[in-house]
Structures are given as structure tokens and as C-alpha cells.
Amino acid sequence: MIRSRREKLGNHTFVRGDCTTVLRRMPSQSVDIIVTSPPYNLGVEYRTYSDKLPEDAYLDWMEDVCTSLKRVMKDGASFFLNIAGSSAQPWLPFELMTRLRTLFVLQNHITWIKSISVGEITYGHFKPLNSSRFVNRNHEHIFHLTKRGDVPVSRLEAGVPFTDKSNISRRQHEIDRRCRGDTWFIPYETVRSRKEKFSHPGTFPIALPEACIRLHGVLPGGVLLDPFMGVGTSIIAAQRTGLTGIGIDTDTRYVNIARKRLRLAINQTEEDWEED
Ligand SMILES: C[S@@+](CC[C@H](N)C(=O)[O-])C[C@H]1O[C@@H](n2cnc3c(N)ncnc32)[C@H](O)[C@@H]1O
């Protein structure tokens, strides 16, 4: 068992430790929003974590973690669980969701599209698959889990402007925004400088947790938890939206990278303020 270590940066807390242990010490009903992407058990090569458990052991472990997550969630909290299967293990995300049915209501099921072809034009990137049986997998799941299925969501805050502006007056909308729906095209960001480069095999783009936060509704000072923080992407989204982030990861190097990325994000924000 690894000993956990806790550190504050700005409003946020990083914990290097095993989330099963750390969650047990957190107060009940203390978290407003969870955005996380656990290991998928697909054999991804993390630095220290082994991503190849027997399937039942993996599902038992995830069920255990999610039981603890439910305890720390406020009654009106949202839990956004990002996970994917592979061509060889397509059922895994659904097996997990079946296990979680007794704990949560599946309030929304969003498909995160990493790459899409519209007509002849392709947007975004994906890892090409060399196969005569399978097509490339360009999407992942975002399961929006809540305790009772009745958490109000900010459809317009997370929404998009109308393409046809005549819809606004014709349908008596107050603002130029409509619901984005349940397919979110979010490509990976382009790395612009060496400072932004980091090494982790399975991150999501910052825009993904940010969209989840906006859908739940931004509550300044609210608490966001990521029990599988990796290099801190969701904590950066928390910083950008005025939430207080708590990130947990077992790997010291990832926590160190998360800290550096957050420091950069905080400094960027401060620079933006000075320019205004
Ligand atoms: C899919 S990655 C998360 C990546 C993250 N969304 C990001 O953008 O950086 C899963 C992370 O879970 C961490 N992990 C595995 N077992 C853990 C545990 N028991 N407690 C906390 N973190 C764990 C791994 O080290 C890995 O960084």
C-alpha cells in the first residue's frame, strides 16, 4: 500500500495516493461534481499502474470505488465517467455500467467524438487501427450518473449558438444558444510550446471536463473531484471555471506534472487579468 501525500496549490488539492484509501477519509456529501477517466483495463501502458486485471477483479474494484464516490457526492451532484472499450473488448464499458445500475441513475449518455468525417472532410485525430475486421474507434463514452436522475442541467450554458439565427425569434428563444445534444466533438488540443508537453498515455482534452462542468452548471466555489487525476486535466478545468479541485493519483510523476500544468494555467489566468 502506498502512503498518501497531500499538497495545496491555489484553491486546489493534489493527493498522491490510492483513491480507495483517500476516498474513505473524505467527508460524506462534500463533492458537487466528479469528472474522471479511470484506467479502462485495456492494457494501456501506464508508468506504474498495471492496466490488465482479470475482468471480474477490475469490475469489483471499480464498483468499490464508485460506491465510495457515491458517499462523498452531495445529493444534487453529477458524476461524469469517461470510459471506452476496444475492438477486442467492446462490452467492458457496458459491463461496468450494468454493475453501477444499483448505485446510480444513468441520467445522460454522451458520446465523445474524437474524430469525425463530414462528407469528404475529416476533423480531429484518432489512433489508426490496422485491421481487416474492425473500423477505427473514434469515440468514447461519457456516462452522466446521478443519485436520483433529477439533477437539473444547464443545457444552454453547455450549448451552442443557432446556425440558422431566424430560429431565435421564430421559436421565441431568449438567447442565441441551443442544447448541444449528446454527441460532443472534442478533438485533442494542439501542443503549442515545449512547456505544454507532458508524458501520459491516456489523457482527455481540457475542453471535455470543462463541457461536463458547464452542463452540470458552474457553481463558483463548488468542489470538483477527480479520483483518477492523471496529469490534472480536470483540475485545470476546475481552475478555469472557478471550482475548487481535488485530484488523486497513485503515480508521483503524474501528480508532479499535474502541479506544473496547474501552475501554468493559474499564471496564464493571472496574465490575462493584467492585460485587461
Ligand atoms: C485514464 S488515466 C486519467 C487521465 C486524466 N483524465 C488526464 O487527463 O490526465 C487514469 C489514471 O488513474 C491512475 N490510477 C490507477 N489506479 C489508481 C488508484 N487506485 N488511485 C488513484 N489513481 C489511480 C493512473 O496512474 C492514471 O494516471
Side-chain angles (χ1 to χ4, degrees):
M1 198 175 79
I2 57 163
R3 289 187 54 191
S4 56
R5 202 183 135 176
R6 181 175 289 262
E7 198 180 325
K8 293 274 284 179
L9 178 57
N11 294 329
H12 313 284
T13 307
F14 293 118
V15 189
R16 193 281 320 271
D18 183 332
C19 66
T20 45
T21 319
V22 178
L23 285 169
R24 257 181 245 134
R25 294 192 208 120
M26 284 180 61
S28 316
Q29 301 260 356
S30 57
V31 168
D32 296 283
I33 172 163
I34 298 169
V35 185
T36 198
S37 177
Y40 297 175
N41 210 38
L42 297 177
V44 171
E45 297 218 349
Y46 294 104
R47 231 176 53 85
T48 47
Y49 174 79
S50 163
D51 193 36
K52 265 238 158 287
L53 296 176
E55 188 167 306
D56 270 336
Y58 171 75
L59 293 171
D60 288 347
W61 172 61
M62 278 302 296
E63 194 177 337
D64 192 37
V65 172
C66 291
T67 304
S68 298
L69 291 176
K70 184 177 179 186
R71 187 186 65 77
V72 300
M73 281 166 69
K74 293 181 183 169
D75 287 342
S78 285
F79 171 15
F80 294 94
L81 177 63
N82 162 228
I83 194 158
S86 69
S87 302
Q89 288 167 274
W91 289 107
L92 202 58
F94 305 106
E95 301 279 5
L96 176 59
M97 290 315 294
T98 306
R99 290 280 195 110
L100 300 186
R101 274 185 87 158
T102 51
L103 291 174
F104 297 105
V105 175
L106 177 55
Q107 191 170 319
N108 287 286
H109 177 196
I110 294 152
T111 302
W112 166 29
I113 298 168
K114 302 177 188 181
S115 168
I116 191 162
S117 297
V118 180
E120 298 295 307
I121 300 173
T122 299
Y123 302 91
H125 307 280
F126 57 88
K127 219 184 251 168
L129 194 70
N130 188 7
S131 170
S132 57
R133 286 192 293 159
F134 302 123
V135 294
N136 285 313
R137 291 182 78 88
N138 298 354
H139 76 281
E140 297 198 5
H141 307 278
I142 303 171
F143 295 110
H144 176 210
L145 302 162
T146 59
K147 288 191 180 178
R148 292 193 293 257
D150 58 359
V151 172
V153 287
S154 298
R155 289 150 49 99
L156 300 189
E157 174 122 20
V160 286
F162 285 97
T163 308
D164 175 359
K165 303 293 181 201
S166 71
N167 270 311
I168 304 169
S169 55
R170 197 152 32 87
R171 298 190 193 275
Q172 282 142 32
H173 293 290
E174 280 172 14
I175 54 169
D176 181 10
R177 261 184 128 63
R178 66 172 178 82
C179 176
R180 177 182 294 268
D182 61 3
T183 46
W184 293 0
F185 170 57
I186 306 181
Y188 278 97
E189 311 83 358
T190 309
V191 175
R192 283 161 301 175
S193 71
R194 270 184 58 203
K195 271 205 272 182
E196 289 178 352
K197 262 198 182 152
F198 55 83
S199 164
H200 187 287
T203 60
F204 44 45
I206 302 169
L208 187 145
E210 212 172 320
C212 295
I213 293 167
R214 293 199 188 287
L215 183 63
H216 177 75
V218 177
L219 313 158
V223 175
L224 173 142
L225 169 68
D226 187 343
F228 299 103
M229 167 187 71
V231 290
T233 314
S234 49
I235 308 302
I236 296 170
Q239 162 68 20
R240 285 189 182 179
T241 49
L243 299 180
T244 295
I246 303 172
I248 310 167
D249 203 287
T250 40
D251 194 307
T252 311
R253 195 179 294 171
Y254 297 155
V255 178
N256 283 338
I257 296 171
R259 203 184 321 111
K260 283 191 191 130
R261 288 181 79 205
L262 180 66
R263 199 165 283 141
L264 201 62
I266 291 174
N267 289 339
Q268 274 171 358
T269 312
E270 282 165 3
E271 272 164 29
D272 287 344
W273 285 344
E274 278 167 18
E275 276 169 25
D276 289 348

mmCIF file of all heavy atoms in Angstrom, residues 17-19 37-39 46 49 61 200 202-204 227-233 249-250 254, ligand 1:
data_model
loop_
_atom_site.group_PDB
_atom_site.id
_atom_site.type_symbol
_atom_site.label_atom_id
_atom_site.label_comp_id
_atom_site.label_asym_id
_atom_site.label_seq_id
_atom_site.Cartn_x
_atom_site.Cartn_y
_atom_site.Cartn_z
ATOM 1 N N GLY A 17 -1.832 9.225 -3.987
ATOM 2 C CA GLY A 17 -2.275 8.103 -3.166
ATOM 3 C C GLY A 17 -3.297 7.268 -3.901
ATOM 4 O O GLY A 17 -3.701 7.586 -5.026
ATOM 5 N N ASP A 18 -3.715 6.189 -3.261
ATOM 6 C CA ASP A 18 -4.700 5.276 -3.838
ATOM 7 C C ASP A 18 -6.095 5.824 -3.518
ATOM 8 O O ASP A 18 -6.428 6.028 -2.350
ATOM 9 C CB ASP A 18 -4.483 3.898 -3.185
ATOM 10 C CG ASP A 18 -5.403 2.838 -3.765
ATOM 11 O OD1 ASP A 18 -6.507 3.188 -4.226
ATOM 12 O OD2 ASP A 18 -5.013 1.659 -3.737
ATOM 13 N N CYS A 19 -6.892 6.043 -4.547
ATOM 14 C CA CYS A 19 -8.190 6.696 -4.288
ATOM 15 C C CYS A 19 -9.084 5.859 -3.381
ATOM 16 O O CYS A 19 -9.902 6.422 -2.646
ATOM 17 C CB CYS A 19 -8.887 7.069 -5.588
ATOM 18 S SG CYS A 19 -9.380 5.655 -6.580
ATOM 19 N N SER A 37 -11.717 9.788 -15.566
ATOM 20 C CA SER A 37 -11.484 8.759 -16.552
ATOM 21 C C SER A 37 -10.590 7.711 -15.886
ATOM 22 O O SER A 37 -9.396 7.941 -15.704
ATOM 23 C CB SER A 37 -10.770 9.422 -17.739
ATOM 24 O OG SER A 37 -10.454 8.481 -18.692
ATOM 25 N N PRO A 38 -11.171 6.604 -15.444
ATOM 26 C CA PRO A 38 -10.363 5.608 -14.731
ATOM 27 C C PRO A 38 -9.518 4.814 -15.729
ATOM 28 O O PRO A 38 -9.714 4.951 -16.938
ATOM 29 C CB PRO A 38 -11.435 4.702 -14.119
ATOM 30 C CG PRO A 38 -12.579 4.781 -15.062
ATOM 31 C CD PRO A 38 -12.571 6.169 -15.638
ATOM 32 N N PRO A 39 -8.631 3.975 -15.245
ATOM 33 C CA PRO A 39 -7.995 3.034 -16.173
ATOM 34 C C PRO A 39 -9.098 2.190 -16.822
ATOM 35 O O PRO A 39 -10.075 1.838 -16.156
ATOM 36 C CB PRO A 39 -7.123 2.180 -15.242
ATOM 37 C CG PRO A 39 -6.920 3.000 -14.011
ATOM 38 C CD PRO A 39 -8.154 3.831 -13.862
ATOM 39 N N TYR A 46 0.651 2.396 -18.468
ATOM 40 C CA TYR A 46 0.928 3.474 -17.515
ATOM 41 C C TYR A 46 2.306 3.234 -16.934
ATOM 42 O O TYR A 46 2.849 2.142 -17.021
ATOM 43 C CB TYR A 46 -0.126 3.492 -16.406
ATOM 44 C CG TYR A 46 -1.498 3.861 -16.912
ATOM 45 C CD1 TYR A 46 -2.485 2.895 -17.075
ATOM 46 C CD2 TYR A 46 -1.792 5.170 -17.250
ATOM 47 C CE1 TYR A 46 -3.740 3.236 -17.548
ATOM 48 C CE2 TYR A 46 -3.033 5.517 -17.732
ATOM 49 C CZ TYR A 46 -4.006 4.545 -17.879
ATOM 50 O OH TYR A 46 -5.233 4.891 -18.364
ATOM 51 N N TYR A 49 0.888 1.820 -12.884
ATOM 52 C CA TYR A 49 -0.343 1.034 -12.750
ATOM 53 C C TYR A 49 -0.400 -0.051 -13.829
ATOM 54 O O TYR A 49 -0.091 0.209 -14.991
ATOM 55 C CB TYR A 49 -1.554 1.983 -12.875
ATOM 56 C CG TYR A 49 -2.866 1.250 -12.897
ATOM 57 C CD1 TYR A 49 -3.436 0.773 -11.719
ATOM 58 C CD2 TYR A 49 -3.513 0.995 -14.096
ATOM 59 C CE1 TYR A 49 -4.630 0.072 -11.740
ATOM 60 C CE2 TYR A 49 -4.716 0.308 -14.136
ATOM 61 C CZ TYR A 49 -5.258 -0.156 -12.949
ATOM 62 O OH TYR A 49 -6.432 -0.853 -12.978
ATOM 63 N N TRP A 61 -13.392 -3.884 -8.393
ATOM 64 C CA TRP A 61 -12.630 -2.720 -7.916
ATOM 65 C C TRP A 61 -13.355 -1.422 -8.278
ATOM 66 O O TRP A 61 -13.561 -0.542 -7.432
ATOM 67 C CB TRP A 61 -11.222 -2.765 -8.526
ATOM 68 C CG TRP A 61 -10.398 -1.553 -8.282
ATOM 69 C CD1 TRP A 61 -10.000 -1.055 -7.071
ATOM 70 C CD2 TRP A 61 -9.874 -0.663 -9.274
ATOM 71 N NE1 TRP A 61 -9.245 0.086 -7.256
ATOM 72 C CE2 TRP A 61 -9.152 0.336 -8.591
ATOM 73 C CE3 TRP A 61 -9.910 -0.628 -10.660
ATOM 74 C CZ2 TRP A 61 -8.496 1.380 -9.260
ATOM 75 C CZ3 TRP A 61 -9.252 0.401 -11.328
ATOM 76 C CH2 TRP A 61 -8.550 1.388 -10.634
ATOM 77 N N HIS A 200 1.949 11.160 -20.672
ATOM 78 C CA HIS A 200 0.930 10.337 -20.023
ATOM 79 C C HIS A 200 0.191 9.631 -21.156
ATOM 80 O O HIS A 200 -0.172 10.271 -22.141
ATOM 81 C CB HIS A 200 -0.033 11.210 -19.198
ATOM 82 C CG HIS A 200 -0.993 10.410 -18.367
ATOM 83 N ND1 HIS A 200 -2.058 9.727 -18.926
ATOM 84 C CD2 HIS A 200 -1.063 10.171 -17.036
ATOM 85 C CE1 HIS A 200 -2.727 9.106 -17.944
ATOM 86 N NE2 HIS A 200 -2.146 9.362 -16.799
ATOM 87 N N GLY A 202 -2.878 8.354 -21.460
ATOM 88 C CA GLY A 202 -4.342 8.335 -21.647
ATOM 89 C C GLY A 202 -5.034 9.543 -21.067
ATOM 90 O O GLY A 202 -5.779 9.421 -20.108
ATOM 91 N N THR A 203 -4.831 10.717 -21.661
ATOM 92 C CA THR A 203 -5.470 11.918 -21.115
ATOM 93 C C THR A 203 -6.717 12.277 -21.921
ATOM 94 O O THR A 203 -6.899 11.797 -23.036
ATOM 95 C CB THR A 203 -4.511 13.120 -21.189
ATOM 96 O OG1 THR A 203 -4.184 13.336 -22.558
ATOM 97 C CG2 THR A 203 -3.251 12.878 -20.405
ATOM 98 N N PHE A 204 -7.563 13.147 -21.357
ATOM 99 C CA PHE A 204 -8.609 13.763 -22.175
ATOM 100 C C PHE A 204 -8.280 15.248 -22.356
ATOM 101 O O PHE A 204 -7.518 15.817 -21.579
ATOM 102 C CB PHE A 204 -10.027 13.518 -21.647
ATOM 103 C CG PHE A 204 -10.301 13.667 -20.163
ATOM 104 C CD1 PHE A 204 -9.822 14.737 -19.425
ATOM 105 C CD2 PHE A 204 -11.109 12.742 -19.513
ATOM 106 C CE1 PHE A 204 -10.112 14.877 -18.078
ATOM 107 C CE2 PHE A 204 -11.412 12.869 -18.161
ATOM 108 C CZ PHE A 204 -10.905 13.942 -17.452
ATOM 109 N N PRO A 227 -10.862 11.317 -8.966
ATOM 110 C CA PRO A 227 -10.116 10.295 -8.204
ATOM 111 C C PRO A 227 -9.032 9.606 -9.017
ATOM 112 O O PRO A 227 -8.200 8.891 -8.446
ATOM 113 C CB PRO A 227 -11.210 9.300 -7.813
ATOM 114 C CG PRO A 227 -12.283 9.464 -8.850
ATOM 115 C CD PRO A 227 -12.238 10.898 -9.278
ATOM 116 N N PHE A 228 -9.051 9.771 -10.343
ATOM 117 C CA PHE A 228 -8.005 9.210 -11.223
ATOM 118 C C PHE A 228 -7.458 10.374 -12.057
ATOM 119 O O PHE A 228 -7.655 10.433 -13.266
ATOM 120 C CB PHE A 228 -8.601 8.137 -12.139
ATOM 121 C CG PHE A 228 -9.192 6.953 -11.414
ATOM 122 C CD1 PHE A 228 -10.565 6.801 -11.248
ATOM 123 C CD2 PHE A 228 -8.352 5.969 -10.888
ATOM 124 C CE1 PHE A 228 -11.099 5.715 -10.582
ATOM 125 C CE2 PHE A 228 -8.881 4.860 -10.220
ATOM 126 C CZ PHE A 228 -10.255 4.739 -10.063
ATOM 127 N N MET A 229 -6.771 11.278 -11.382
ATOM 128 C CA MET A 229 -6.477 12.591 -11.960
ATOM 129 C C MET A 229 -5.486 12.574 -13.113
ATOM 130 O O MET A 229 -5.487 13.483 -13.940
ATOM 131 C CB MET A 229 -5.953 13.479 -10.835
ATOM 132 C CG MET A 229 -5.309 14.748 -11.289
ATOM 133 S SD MET A 229 -4.540 15.627 -9.950
ATOM 134 C CE MET A 229 -3.127 14.591 -9.595
ATOM 135 N N GLY A 230 -4.597 11.556 -13.172
ATOM 136 C CA GLY A 230 -3.563 11.576 -14.200
ATOM 137 C C GLY A 230 -2.761 12.849 -14.093
ATOM 138 O O GLY A 230 -2.305 13.232 -13.008
ATOM 139 N N VAL A 231 -2.616 13.587 -15.213
ATOM 140 C CA VAL A 231 -1.801 14.796 -15.209
ATOM 141 C C VAL A 231 -2.660 16.053 -14.983
ATOM 142 O O VAL A 231 -2.292 17.154 -15.378
ATOM 143 C CB VAL A 231 -0.941 14.897 -16.495
ATOM 144 C CG1 VAL A 231 0.164 13.851 -16.483
ATOM 145 C CG2 VAL A 231 -1.799 14.748 -17.758
ATOM 146 N N GLY A 232 -3.815 15.864 -14.356
ATOM 147 C CA GLY A 232 -4.552 17.004 -13.788
ATOM 148 C C GLY A 232 -5.456 17.780 -14.737
ATOM 149 O O GLY A 232 -5.833 18.915 -14.434
ATOM 150 N N THR A 233 -5.879 17.150 -15.855
ATOM 151 C CA THR A 233 -6.681 17.890 -16.836
ATOM 152 C C THR A 233 -7.966 18.447 -16.222
ATOM 153 O O THR A 233 -8.332 19.604 -16.461
ATOM 154 C CB THR A 233 -7.015 16.965 -18.032
ATOM 155 O OG1 THR A 233 -5.819 16.290 -18.426
ATOM 156 C CG2 THR A 233 -7.554 17.754 -19.201
ATOM 157 N N ASP A 249 -4.062 10.726 -7.575
ATOM 158 C CA ASP A 249 -3.436 9.738 -8.466
ATOM 159 C C ASP A 249 -2.339 9.019 -7.691
ATOM 160 O O ASP A 249 -1.706 9.602 -6.813
ATOM 161 C CB ASP A 249 -2.845 10.398 -9.726
ATOM 162 C CG ASP A 249 -2.717 9.399 -10.874
ATOM 163 O OD1 ASP A 249 -1.814 8.520 -10.823
ATOM 164 O OD2 ASP A 249 -3.527 9.479 -11.820
ATOM 165 N N THR A 250 -2.138 7.754 -8.043
ATOM 166 C CA THR A 250 -1.134 6.952 -7.335
ATOM 167 C C THR A 250 0.286 7.290 -7.791
ATOM 168 O O THR A 250 1.243 7.001 -7.074
ATOM 169 C CB THR A 250 -1.343 5.443 -7.625
ATOM 170 O OG1 THR A 250 -1.683 5.294 -8.988
ATOM 171 C CG2 THR A 250 -2.405 4.843 -6.744
ATOM 172 N N TYR A 254 3.000 11.669 -12.342
ATOM 173 C CA TYR A 254 1.813 12.313 -12.917
ATOM 174 C C TYR A 254 1.346 13.475 -12.037
ATOM 175 O O TYR A 254 0.943 14.532 -12.537
ATOM 176 C CB TYR A 254 0.673 11.308 -13.101
ATOM 177 C CG TYR A 254 0.967 10.172 -14.066
ATOM 178 C CD1 TYR A 254 0.295 8.954 -13.971
ATOM 179 C CD2 TYR A 254 1.914 10.311 -15.080
ATOM 180 C CE1 TYR A 254 0.546 7.913 -14.854
ATOM 181 C CE2 TYR A 254 2.179 9.265 -15.961
ATOM 182 C CZ TYR A 254 1.498 8.078 -15.840
ATOM 183 O OH TYR A 254 1.748 7.035 -16.703
HETATM 184 C C1 LIG B 1 -7.016 7.328 -17.787
HETATM 185 S S1 LIG B 1 -5.838 7.973 -16.670
HETATM 186 C C2 LIG B 1 -6.516 9.548 -16.256
HETATM 187 C C3 LIG B 1 -6.012 10.649 -17.146
HETATM 188 C C4 LIG B 1 -6.619 12.020 -16.838
HETATM 189 N N1 LIG B 1 -8.012 12.089 -17.227
HETATM 190 C C5 LIG B 1 -5.826 13.110 -17.542
HETATM 191 O O1 LIG B 1 -6.359 13.784 -18.457
HETATM 192 O O2 LIG B 1 -4.649 13.280 -17.222
HETATM 193 C C6 LIG B 1 -6.068 7.015 -15.219
HETATM 194 C C7 LIG B 1 -5.135 7.360 -14.055
HETATM 195 O O3 LIG B 1 -5.524 6.576 -12.910
HETATM 196 C C8 LIG B 1 -4.365 6.412 -12.098
HETATM 197 N N2 LIG B 1 -4.676 5.349 -11.112
HETATM 198 C C9 LIG B 1 -4.685 3.995 -11.290
HETATM 199 N N3 LIG B 1 -5.061 3.402 -10.138
HETATM 200 C C10 LIG B 1 -5.333 4.375 -9.242
HETATM 201 C C11 LIG B 1 -5.802 4.380 -7.895
HETATM 202 N N4 LIG B 1 -6.048 3.243 -7.216
HETATM 203 N N5 LIG B 1 -5.964 5.574 -7.273
HETATM 204 C C12 LIG B 1 -5.708 6.747 -7.917
HETATM 205 N N6 LIG B 1 -5.252 6.794 -9.200
HETATM 206 C C13 LIG B 1 -5.082 5.619 -9.851
HETATM 207 C C14 LIG B 1 -3.270 6.103 -13.108
HETATM 208 O O4 LIG B 1 -1.986 6.395 -12.579
HETATM 209 C C15 LIG B 1 -3.665 7.042 -14.299
HETATM 210 O O5 LIG B 1 -2.925 8.233 -14.270
#
